[in-house]
Amino acid sequence: MWKEWPLVAFTIAGQMAVGVFLMCGVPLALSVVFPASAGPPPDAATHGLRIALLALVLALLAVAALLSFFHLHHPFRARRVLTNLRTSWLSREIFFELGFMALVALGTLLTWRRPTNAGLAEAVLITAGFAGVLFLVSMSKLYMLQTVPSWNQAYTPLSFVMTALTLGAMATALLIDVSVGGGVKHRYLLNLSSFLVAVEIVISLLLAPGHGVFGPRTGPSLRPRAETHRLLHLGRLTLLAAGLFFIGLEAMARANNFIEMDLMAGGFRGAIGRGASLSLILAFVLVLASEVAGRFLFYGLLTRPGR
Amino acid sequence: MKGPTLKKKIETSAMSRRSFLRWSALVGSSAAASKGLAAGFRRRDPRHALVEQAPSEERMIRTGCPSHNCGGRCLLKVFVRDGVIVRIETDDRPGDTIADPQLRACVRGRAYRKRQYHPDRLKYPMKRVGKRGEGKFERVSWEEALDRIASEFKRIKAAYGNQAFYVPYGTGSYNQINGRQTAQRLMNLYDGSLGFYNSYSWAAISAATPTVYGTSVTGNQRQDWLNSKYILMWSWNPAEMRDGTNSEYFVQKARERGVRVVCVDPRMTLSAVSLADEWIPIRPGTDAAMMSAMAFVMIQEKLYDAEFVRTHCVGFDESQMPEGAAGAESYKDYILGTRDGQPKSPEWAEAITAVPRETIARLAREYATSKPAVLYQGYGMQRRAYGEQAVRAGCVLAAITGNVGVPGGWASGIALQAPDGGPFWLVFPTGENPVKAMIPSFLWTEAVLRGKTMGEADGVRGADALDTDIKCIWAVACNALINQHANVNRTARILADEKRVEFLLVQDNFLTPTARFADILLPVCTQFETWGLEDGWKYGDEVILMPKVVEPPFETKSDYRICAEIAARLGLEEAYTEGRTERDWIAWSLDRYRQSRFPGLPTLDELEASNVGVYSLPVERPAVAFTDFRRDPVKHPLPTPSGKIEIFSKRLHDMNNPAEIPAVPKYIQEWESPFGPEAKNFPLSVIGHHYLSRVHSTLEGIDWLEEAFPQRLFINPLDAGPRKVKNGDLVKVYNDRGAVVVPCRLTQRIMPGVVALPQGAWWTPDKNGVDRRGSVNVLSSERWTPLAFGNAQHTIMVQVEKAEAA
Amino acid sequence: MVTQYAFFFNAAACSGCKACQMACKDRNNLEAGVLWRCVYEVAGGGWEKKGEAWVPSVVAYNISMACNHCEKPVCGLSCPVKAIWKREDGIVFVDTDRCIGCRYCEWACPYTALRFNATTNTVSKCDFCYDAVDAGGTPACVAACPQRALDFGDLAELRKKYGETRQIFPLPDPSQTDPALVIKPHRDAARAAERAAEVANWEEV
Ligand SMILES: Nc1nc2c(c(=O)[nH]1)N[C@H]1C(S)=C(S)[C@@H](COP(=O)(O)OP(=O)(O)OC[C@H]3O[C@@H](n4cnc5c(=O)[nH]c(N)nc54)[C@H](O)[C@@H]3O)O[C@H]1N2
Ligand SMILES: Nc1nc2c(c(=O)[nH]1)N[C@H]1C(S)=C(S)[C@@H](COP(=O)(O)OP(=O)(O)OC[C@H]3O[C@@H](n4cnc5c(=O)[nH]c(N)nc54)[C@H](O)[C@@H]3O)O[C@H]1N2
Ligand code: SF4
Ligand code: SF4
Ligand code: SF4
Ligand code: SF4
Ligand code: SF4
Ligand SMILES: [Mo]
């Protein structure tokens, strides 16, 4: 289980990248958050933020790709990894990751060079969004193996999507805070984050047991009885709950009153100035930790004979 | 490089079949060639299979699997390259018929390379530098070692006389040239040493069988099992202990022919799973009770063969008591309880054996009515307190059902193979032992402690009493000083006392628990590194040649060579060697086989040149023991006092110890039993069964074997639960004699109240004296059986609790 | 012409002695921890005390299992670099020159036939002793079995000789991979599921 850390890192970073992109990239393209392509050219701060968010997505994808090499025992042979798109979900996963990355990179480039071709940038970014979703899908399919009953169920795609959305929403909110300071503009992200974390808690509570956490979910096959990892599961729930508390605090505070919020949060953020609130940072760290715990748990549910 | 890819190579492999035929000898072995021990473990990458190599570089030699006391004798094909064994295959002679089946190796033979090239093999002569038993040694030259041995021998001979020498039971090698027999030969030339009789294997069964039949040759040739209708495997586990290569296969074949097979064993053994239709768990040490109850049912329901009993047996009832014993309790008296008031009914037996009364009755009927039937007695049930009784009880069941002397039947008992007792293992001449005194092999610690007080009551034979205690032990191919003897902690204390055994010489391949007590420790080559010759383990009609396959590494030598060099220092070299090399002795031994059971046996040169490895006599019409006696008991009487099957033994009667040596077979409660007061503190019985990963303690520490069959305590969940022991936990198993800590395996395949700790693991005490490896003899008792003076190492009671890691 | 090599396994006769496993290890120099063929112990059931007697309802048998050279080798189908391929005679190979060691095929194979080999840093598995078979010989495991419980040959032939069974408890649903395997079941296999049997020797496989 612990030896799967490269996969834990890869899947979480990759999913978070998709999530961040869905939270900002697509809205960006659709000009919901920032009326960019349609209206007058955005101010410098907004533009910088756009680039920063896309850069974050790229960075996450690059890190994910890099870390995934640690999982391979012959990384230098990996150049052939796309040769089996016809039948291998692993090939496909890498294909969509690379495709997603390339499209995001192109979109970033196009967005950067502000003046012309907003439409093309938009199209590229929307395509990237699809690639990102397919990346998620192939990742889920990869694990939904008939031979691993504890993976071969709805919990797998659900948890991958939830990781993407939750971490995506929270990371986006955090980045906005860091770069331009908070404010009403992304309050919906905070609300969304609270909602998503709450949903994750519910899903974990409801579905995880069937996922094999509390008992064998091995079915008749030559696989050992899954070890139970109650501690990881409980740890994950606790972390999620704590994350929910802090993010809820932040969201509520902002909904009510700026100044009070600042007082309560006691963050290093001025009323309008830069810097993220402590509670938001805390919430992100907690939820990220819970995802990591959850992912280790996930890999722990695959037990196999041999060493 | 950049030749064709692996894929290409494999694909073309199918096409280049012809070149493969040519190279078949080297297929599958690694290509890179380097010398030395370590090279034995180069990896095989299939790529190398096709690397061009001169075929002559790899030789295939057919040879016998090293002749340990392993339960089988199998043929190996050993592949040697550059002086290193690179692969081992087994017998693939075409045909593989029932009459002349292939001698296929077991898991141990297949793993043998790992023993051959084990880094821990003894390489140089050593002398002890620490306290005895501490295991501290220093390398010395052969000169120094041999000089020291000769001077100690001379000193002890002068001080105590030859009875003070002892070459103990040790079963590591029966290949003629290696093994204890080589030392016994020298001792006999050196005016002798204290002898021993019987074995750790078959003490009770070999003493008890002749009390019924007058002989040990009570077995048919095994192919005859296919003529049976019913086989009761009683304490018999051929799938694990083989009992002659192919025994398990013959039973399987019999079963395929519709023979019903039932297994009576406290453990659901591999044999119970693969050979039996039904498994009957029985409480250890109670077999005689169940057998008696079966006789009860047969008598009540008149299922026994009254006619055969009348014509061929004595002592069944008062009408046929032997002369001088009229009025004594007959077998029927005992079974029906006419004297003691206790009918040996299934109800009675159920409470003792934990076998349901209906089951006992049903088995009695099945066995008595499915004729011909085999009641095969394994040796586990006789390596116990009163093991003699279970043996005799089984023989009597075979007799009263008339299964003696008929094809498909079986007389039970030790069952050496008809017509001549089968294999004879050792033909290497040890000569006469000028010292006539002998002790039972299991009682050597007594002879160390109080030899001078030992006489007939302690089983001494050949002399009224011993003149001296044992002062010098020369252990060759023996781990039975410490590890395989009972009550290890006690034995270790005895041996540690340098005033008792004054000189202890050990010859082995490894630094065993016994070898740790050596004063001088000599490195012996393996049996692949010298010449050898072997025949079947118990059954079999074959002789297997063991040519020298590779050179002895480091400073190792054959036991024979070592003895010859000691002999030279005692002025006996010429007498000892008679000018023969190891190979010459094998030629000489072949002659012995040729002069007896195998007249058609080729010469050594012929055998070596043909590389067939084995010479066998197909068994087309299996011999059946007691055929003549069955046909005409008057003309062909048994070698018993009465000439008949002695259900009642006058000889035993005259020993006048009815409580422990009854004249008819009886159930006697064991001295350590769930029914005794000892069960209060030590409620669980332990069986130290023979394990597939080892030959006793030989092949210990081989990772491939440990992977396949790890050392652990087997325990029923019903016993584990209340002890809060989970599968895989470390447990402490202990009694008054010692404690071991091992991992446990929870299994339904052992009856509640019984645990199993496979025998043979090397005693590995920690600083508190707790064995961390799981040597069952830390727990077993040195008490011997009454009639045979045999080991009762399976009779052990213990407690089990959860243990902490050290 | 062989179109699909296959194994026959007689579970009724297999003692679990592991000679097959060891023959394979010796032939292929597989260090401890790598088992191309291994023997699963399936056991279950329990005990009941009836009066003074102990009555078992224990079931137990063995399954000696290597790669089944499946007709639908999901291992190869899932491999991203096509390092697993099937020869014309059905034998499925791992190309250790190509394998990147992602171990995905290990997850996909329901028979846990693929084993990671730390010396090559790739997965590895039974190659049907192709070199011996190509030379007209016998796979080492088959030739090893003291109970003669293993056989090999063309799948169609084996089916003719031994029947169609290719699944016993708790082997996976064979439709997943179409294993080239014929089994003679042990009598206990039929009641294994109802007696809550399971693989009992994880420490060994
Ligand atoms: N693999 C392997 N094979 C061997 C050996 C080895 O070390 N390893 N050693 C060889 C040698 S030298 C010998 S002498 C033979 C020994 O062969 P055996 O003495 O027959 O072997 P054991 O394992 O001691 O016992 C056989 C069976 O008896 C059962 N048993 C124990 N106590 C009782 C009892 O009270 N009643 C009943 N009914 N059953 C009982 C055990 O559970 C076991 O399954 O094996 C030979 N074969
Ligand atoms: N508790 C318990 N104890 C038992 C038994 C039991 O069932 N339960 N079984 C008993 C039985 S049946 C037996 S037969 C005994 C066996 O007891 P031992 O006769 O002591 O048998 P092994 O333990 O095999 O030890 C043989 C030694 O010979 C060494 N050896 C092997 N080949 C050679 C060689 O060629 N030359 C030399 N010099 N050494 C060699 C090996 O390394 C090993 O150390 O154990 C008995 N002990
Ligand atoms: S039964 Fe004995 S001779 Fe045969 S392979 Fe096993 S260890 Fe060797
Ligand atoms: S060698 Fe034969 S009997 Fe032994 S475990 Fe393998 S298949 Fe079963
Ligand atoms: S058994 Fe597994 S490894 Fe072998 S071919 Fe089938 S799926 Fe592939
Ligand atoms: S481990 Fe090797 S053979 Fe298996 S899927 Fe990965 S690359 Fe393919
Ligand atoms: S066929 Fe060869 S490689 Fe495959 S399991 Fe048998 S011995 Fe091993
Ligand atoms: Mo023995």
Side-chain angles (χ1 to χ4, degrees):
Chain A
M1 175 170 75
W2 305 116
K3 73 175 181 347
E4 303 291 12
W5 68 266
L7 290 181
V8 169
F10 171 78
T11 52
I12 290 181
Q15 285 155 12
M16 190 159 123
V18 176
V20 171
F21 187 76
L22 291 181
M23 291 301 153
C24 73
V26 176
L28 173 72
L30 297 177
S31 316
V32 173
V33 181
F34 310 105
S37 50
D43 57 67
T46 313
H47 181 70
L49 179 60
R50 285 157 59 174
I51 299 302
L53 280 166
L54 290 172
L56 174 65
V57 172
L58 281 173
L60 283 170
L61 287 171
V63 166
L66 199 75
L67 288 178
S68 71
F69 273 92
F70 285 93
H71 165 67
L72 303 183
H73 292 82
H74 278 293
F76 297 113
R77 296 179 185 167
R79 66 199 138 79
R80 291 210 186 87
V81 81
L82 298 182
T83 49
N84 201 9
L85 288 174
R86 220 165 52 80
T87 60
S88 170
W89 279 108
L90 182 49
S91 274
R92 291 171 194 163
E93 180 200 51
I94 304 303
F95 176 75
F96 287 121
E97 199 223 349
L98 294 179
F100 179 47
M101 198 151 96
L103 287 168
V104 173
L106 185 62
T108 312
L109 213 70
L110 290 173
T111 313
W112 201 347
R113 292 167 53 243
R114 236 175 303 175
T116 51
N117 243 339
L120 180 62
E122 203 168 284
V124 167
L125 288 174
I126 287 175
T127 320
F130 280 111
V133 169
L134 287 173
F135 176 39
L136 271 190
V137 169
S138 54
M139 213 187 257
S140 309
K141 288 296 273 183
L142 190 159
Y143 289 98
M144 291 185 64
L145 293 160
Q146 249 178 319
T147 50
V148 190
S150 47
W151 287 351
N152 191 19
Q153 36 189 313
Y155 186 69
T156 299
L158 254 176
S159 69
F160 286 7
V161 169
M162 289 312 295
T163 303
L165 295 181
T166 310
L167 289 182
M170 294 184 75
T172 309
L174 197 60
L175 195 76
I176 293 173
D177 260 21
V178 173
S179 61
V180 295
V184 285
K185 276 186 178 165
H186 70 286
R187 205 175 62 199
Y188 87 97
L189 279 175
L190 292 179
N191 292 339
L192 183 63
S193 299
S194 321
F195 171 72
L196 289 169
V197 175
V199 170
E200 278 216 67
I201 293 180
V202 172
I203 291 182
S204 269
L205 278 175
L206 290 186
L207 292 185
H211 180 55
V213 174
F214 290 106
R217 176 71 209 206
T218 50
S221 87
L222 291 180
R223 285 182 190 278
R225 189 188 272 279
E227 269 178 64
T228 51
H229 301 287
R230 290 187 186 79
L231 272 183
L232 267 182
H233 182 62
L234 286 179
R236 166 168 160 75
L237 279 173
T238 315
L239 289 167
L240 276 177
L244 180 62
F245 173 75
F246 284 107
I247 194 156
L249 206 65
E250 181 81 11
M252 263 158 45
R254 291 196 194 181
N256 295 334
N257 185 304
F258 265 80
I259 300 167
E260 254 182 60
M261 176 205 72
D262 284 337
L263 284 180
M264 280 178 72
F268 24 127
R269 183 175 73 83
I272 293 293
R274 299 181 163 241
S277 79
L278 187 59
S279 49
L280 189 53
I281 294 176
L282 254 174
F284 179 74
V285 169
L286 287 167
V287 173
L288 181 64
S290 92
E291 296 295 350
V292 171
R295 201 49 51 84
F296 273 116
L297 173 63
F298 178 83
Y299 286 106
L301 293 174
L302 172 94
T303 36
R304 46 170 300 113
R307 277 140 276 202
Chain B
M1 50 162 274
K2 291 301 154 216
T5 63
L6 172 62
K7 185 174 176 206
K8 261 263 135 33
K9 282 173 179 163
I10 292 175
E11 276 171 347
T12 43
S13 142
M15 283 163 246
S16 57
R17 183 159 298 185
R18 281 189 39 230
S19 64
F20 256 100
L21 278 176
R22 217 166 3 101
W23 292 346
S24 60
L26 59 111
V27 165
S29 60
S30 52
S34 61
K35 290 201 195 321
L37 271 183
F41 276 99
R42 278 165 296 131
R43 246 148 237 127
R44 170 194 180 235
D45 186 324
R47 273 172 291 179
H48 297 310
L50 290 166
V51 174
E52 314 247 346
Q53 287 273 344
S56 64
E57 277 195 21
E58 191 171 86
R59 288 186 304 145
M60 185 278 284
I61 301 156
R62 286 203 181 73
T63 184
C65 177
S67 189
H68 307 303
N69 200 7
C70 64
R73 289 289 179 258
C74 309
L75 192 66
L76 301 181
K77 286 167 65 182
V78 176
F79 293 79
V80 178
R81 175 172 296 183
D82 300 311
V84 174
I85 299 175
V86 294
R87 192 167 82 256
I88 292 177
E89 292 179 1
T90 193
D91 193 358
D92 57 358
R93 281 174 297 162
D96 193 26
T97 58
I98 294 294
D100 191 13
Q102 292 171 354
L103 303 166
R104 293 195 179 184
C106 77
V107 68
R108 295 163 294 173
R110 303 304 304 236
Y112 212 91
R113 252 180 343 125
K114 285 268 183 177
R115 179 172 195 269
Q116 174 74 9
Y117 297 111
H118 199 290
D120 293 348
R121 266 187 64 181
L122 293 177
K123 302 175 180 75
Y124 309 103
M126 301 213 272
K127 72 170 187 212
R128 169 166 70 84
V129 289
K131 282 193 296 235
R132 191 187 278 160
E134 225 179 9
K136 288 205 183 114
F137 293 94
E138 210 173 82
R139 180 177 167 182
V140 293
S141 68
W142 271 105
E143 288 301 303
E144 182 182 341
L146 294 167
D147 288 346
R148 167 87 188 285
I149 292 164
S151 76
E152 288 291 332
F153 279 10
K154 287 175 187 159
R155 182 183 66 76
I156 285 163
K157 181 172 178 155
Y160 303 101
N162 277 73
Q163 237 187 48
F165 291 107
Y166 189 60
V167 182
Y169 182 81
T171 66
S173 174
Y174 288 100
N175 83 335
Q176 320 299 334
I177 286 313
N178 264 14
R180 74 167 292 287
Q181 62 279 6
T182 60
Q184 190 65 56
R185 174 176 169 86
L186 177 55
M187 267 300 152
N188 290 353
L189 287 169
Y190 193 56
D191 299 332
S193 65
L194 178 63
F196 67 76
Y197 64 91
N198 80 21
S199 65
Y200 284 53
S201 309
W202 297 343
I205 199 168
S206 58
T209 305
T211 65
V212 181
Y213 291 113
T215 172
S216 292
V217 185
T218 63
N220 310 346
Q221 278 177 308
R222 293 172 295 170
Q223 280 83 350
D224 186 52
W225 296 335
L226 274 72
N227 301 323
S228 181
K229 289 247 168 54
Y230 190 82
I231 299 179
L232 249 177
M233 303 198 297
W234 207 300
S235 171
W236 189 39
N237 184 15
E240 282 175 84
M241 53 69 75
R242 308 218 79 181
D243 210 15
T245 303
N246 281 319
S247 282
E248 73 275 49
Y249 179 53
F250 290 143
V251 176
Q252 184 211 314
K253 280 287 164 198
R255 190 154 161 252
E256 275 177 13
R257 287 201 177 182
V259 178
R260 180 171 158 77
V261 183
V262 177
C263 174
V264 183
D265 197 305
R267 304 184 306 121
M268 191 188 206
T269 58
L270 301 192
S271 305
V273 165
S274 60
L275 303 177
D277 297 287
E278 186 180 0
W279 167 54
I280 312 290
I282 184 170
R283 183 172 285 136
T286 66
D287 304 282
M290 175 157 163
M291 290 164 171
S292 299
M294 286 171 68
F296 181 90
V297 174
M298 292 177 199
I299 292 170
Q300 293 278 300
E301 303 182 7
K302 301 206 164 38
L303 300 174
Y304 67 100
D305 187 338
E307 180 58 19
F308 182 79
V309 167
R310 195 180 58 75
T311 51
H312 288 74
C313 305
V314 296
F316 179 76
D317 57 25
E318 70 277 358
S319 75
Q320 49 168 211
M321 296 304 278
E323 225 169 288
E329 185 186 34
S330 73
Y331 182 65
K332 197 169 165 187
D333 286 341
Y334 169 70
I335 296 297
L336 299 182
T338 14
R339 306 269 170 110
D340 61 9
Q342 175 60 64
K344 308 305 173 303
S345 63
E347 293 77 5
W348 165 81
E350 174 183 294
I352 296 167
T353 60
V355 181
R357 57 194 74 177
E358 311 79 44
T359 309
I360 297 175
R362 175 169 56 81
L363 282 193
R365 291 175 200 126
E366 284 177 10
Y367 175 64
T369 57
S370 322
K371 277 182 191 168
V374 173
L375 193 172
Y376 195 105
Q377 303 185 298
Y379 322 113
M381 55 155 216
Q382 58 91 53
R383 208 171 294 110
R384 307 194 64 99
Y386 311 112
E388 297 95 349
Q389 298 311 312
V391 174
R392 299 193 73 241
C395 293
V396 167
L397 286 185
I400 67 173
T401 52
N403 275 304
V404 178
V406 288
W410 192 256
S412 298
I414 190 164
L416 299 187
Q417 160 184 306
D420 55 11
F424 32 83
W425 293 3
L426 288 175
V427 292
F428 179 82
T430 54
E432 273 281 291
N433 190 344
V435 173
K436 295 297 162 213
M438 286 197 287
I439 55 170
S441 58
F442 188 60
L443 269 65
W444 66 270
T445 50
E446 303 307 304
V448 170
L449 290 174
R450 54 176 185 90
K452 271 190 264 189
T453 70
M454 284 173 76
E456 203 192 339
D458 295 304
V460 171
R461 284 189 196 163
D464 294 337
L466 301 189
D467 306 331
T468 168
D469 303 342
I470 293 174
K471 288 295 174 188
C472 172
I473 296 183
W474 182 5
V476 181
C478 160
N479 196 6
L481 291 188
I482 292 289
N483 210 68
Q484 297 306 108
H485 188 69
N487 200 347
V488 168
N489 289 318
R490 167 183 184 265
T491 328
R493 281 192 300 274
I494 295 172
L495 286 182
D497 184 348
E498 293 169 39
K499 286 199 279 305
R500 295 196 187 277
V501 176
E502 294 180 3
F503 184 61
L504 180 40
L505 169 60
V506 175
Q507 292 170 206
D508 207 299
N509 311 121
F510 286 90
L511 182 55
T512 65
T514 292
R516 290 173 71 86
F517 284 76
D519 296 321
I520 294 284
L521 176 54
L522 301 179
V524 181
C525 67
T526 68
Q527 298 175 41
F528 283 136
E529 294 156 357
T530 184
W531 283 83
L533 189 66
E534 58 186 356
D535 57 7
W537 185 78
K538 177 176 177 187
Y539 306 99
D541 291 86
E542 59 274 325
V543 178
I544 309 179
L545 179 67
M546 306 165 78
K548 183 180 194 174
V549 170
V550 289
E551 287 301 316
F554 304 101
E555 292 187 9
T556 60
K557 296 174 199 242
S558 70
D559 287 316
Y560 172 75
R561 181 60 43 208
I562 293 169
C563 291
E565 288 175 12
I566 298 172
R569 280 162 175 76
L570 302 173
L572 295 168
E573 184 174 18
E574 185 48 36
Y576 185 80
T577 65
E578 297 176 20
R580 291 195 182 88
T581 63
E582 282 96 332
R583 191 178 185 280
D584 296 338
W585 278 113
I586 295 311
W588 186 94
S589 303
L590 262 176
D591 290 344
R592 298 288 89 66
Y593 279 105
R594 194 179 305 103
Q595 286 156 11
S596 48
R597 293 177 69 211
F598 302 91
L601 197 56
T603 66
L604 180 53
D605 287 338
E606 287 164 351
L607 272 178
E608 196 189 359
S610 66
N611 196 23
V612 292
V614 61
Y615 175 81
S616 65
L617 297 176
V619 179
E620 305 288 356
R621 273 191 294 126
V624 174
F626 303 121
T627 311
D628 294 341
F629 166 70
R630 167 117 206 169
R631 198 172 349 101
D632 189 343
V634 180
K635 233 168 90 195
H636 302 280
L638 294 183
T640 53
S642 63
K644 294 191 173 173
I645 299 173
E646 302 209 327
I647 296 172
F648 179 102
S649 165
K650 173 81 173 19
R651 190 167 74 76
L652 299 184
H653 180 70
D654 292 345
M655 292 177 84
N656 223 348
N657 182 5
E660 291 199 306
I661 309 180
V664 296
K666 290 185 175 182
Y667 164 68
I668 308 173
Q669 184 181 314
E670 295 192 312
W671 50 72
E672 273 179 42
S673 120
F675 304 121
E678 59 279 0
K680 200 166 145 276
N681 292 327
F682 307 120
L684 298 172
S685 307
V686 181
I687 292 174
H689 61 284
H690 289 224
Y691 208 31
L692 253 174
S693 69
R694 287 183 293 261
V695 179
H696 309 287
S697 72
T698 305
L699 289 147
E700 166 78 327
I702 305 291
D703 60 356
W704 281 354
L705 288 165
E706 187 66 19
E707 170 186 62
F709 298 102
Q711 180 68 2
R712 59 211 152 166
L713 181 85
F714 295 88
I715 182 169
N716 189 294
L718 292 174
D719 292 318
R723 292 173 171 81
K724 306 256 181 303
V725 168
K726 292 195 306 298
N727 195 27
D729 281 353
L730 274 184
V731 291
K732 180 171 160 187
V733 190
Y734 63 96
N735 59 18
D736 284 340
R737 294 177 288 266
V740 308
V741 172
V742 280
C744 75
R745 154 74 94 77
L746 268 55
T747 178
Q748 302 287 359
R749 291 173 58 174
I750 190 162
M751 73 184 293
V754 185
V755 296
L757 182 62
Q759 66 109 355
W762 281 10
W763 179 54
T764 313
D766 64 14
K767 59 182 189 310
N768 302 318
V770 174
D771 173 23
R772 290 269 156 186
R773 172 67 185 149
S775 176
V776 71
N777 280 321
V778 166
L779 307 165
S780 62
S781 152
E782 71 275 14
R783 183 164 169 188
W784 55 88
T785 68
L787 174 65
F789 298 92
N791 50 336
Q793 278 161 289
H794 282 339
T795 296
I796 312 173
M797 298 298 289
V798 293
Q799 182 56 288
V800 172
E801 64 188 37
K802 211 173 140 129
E804 298 309 323
Chain C
M1 189 25 211
V2 174
T3 53
Q4 174 65 56
Y5 269 119
F7 286 119
F8 165 70
F9 170 62
N10 184 347
C14 170
S15 68
C17 73
K18 298 198 180 182
C20 50
Q21 163 178 326
M22 202 58 77
C24 180
K25 293 193 74 116
D26 180 62
R27 179 175 213 279
N28 299 298
N29 271 331
L30 305 176
E31 53 242 70
V34 184
L35 295 169
W36 288 4
R37 177 174 284 281
C38 69
V39 181
Y40 296 88
E41 172 193 341
V42 183
W47 293 79
E48 197 187 335
K49 183 124 202 200
K50 284 192 183 144
E52 300 282 334
W54 276 112
V55 182
S57 58
V58 182
V59 288
Y61 52 95
N62 306 292
I63 300 179
S64 171
M65 178 105 318
C67 171
N68 292 309
H69 302 276
C70 306
E71 297 191 277
K72 191 165 86 195
V74 293
C75 52
L77 296 177
S78 61
C79 173
V81 297
K82 290 192 180 161
I84 301 184
W85 90 100
K86 203 168 165 64
R87 206 164 68 167
E88 267 181 27
D89 57 9
I91 301 179
V92 174
F93 292 95
V94 177
D95 187 341
T96 45
D97 289 345
R98 206 177 162 97
C99 171
I100 58 176
C102 68
R103 306 184 66 168
Y104 184 33
C105 49
E106 276 184 82
W107 293 345
C109 168
Y111 299 99
T112 52
L114 291 139
R115 301 298 174 112
F116 188 73
N117 186 336
T119 54
T120 53
N121 263 325
T122 64
V123 294
S124 64
K125 68 166 193 67
C126 158
D127 60 13
F128 214 81
C129 290
Y130 73 93
D131 35 12
V133 169
D134 286 348
T138 307
C141 50
V142 175
C145 179
Q147 294 279 44
R148 285 73 163 172
L150 291 170
D151 198 356
F152 81 109
D154 193 42
L155 180 58
E157 298 290 316
L158 290 184
R159 287 201 173 133
K160 249 183 262 156
K161 206 157 140 194
Y162 300 111
E164 301 277 323
T165 310
R166 54 179 190 169
Q167 198 267 344
I168 56 171
F169 180 89
L171 292 182
D173 179 354
S175 68
Q176 288 182 32
T177 68
D178 287 338
L181 178 67
V182 179
I183 300 178
K184 180 172 172 195
H186 186 277
R187 72 185 125 80
D188 279 353
R191 47 194 169 172
E194 86 205 32
R195 303 231 176 133
E198 55 184 17
V199 172
N201 64 340
W202 291 120
E203 71 273 31
E204 297 168 17
V205 295

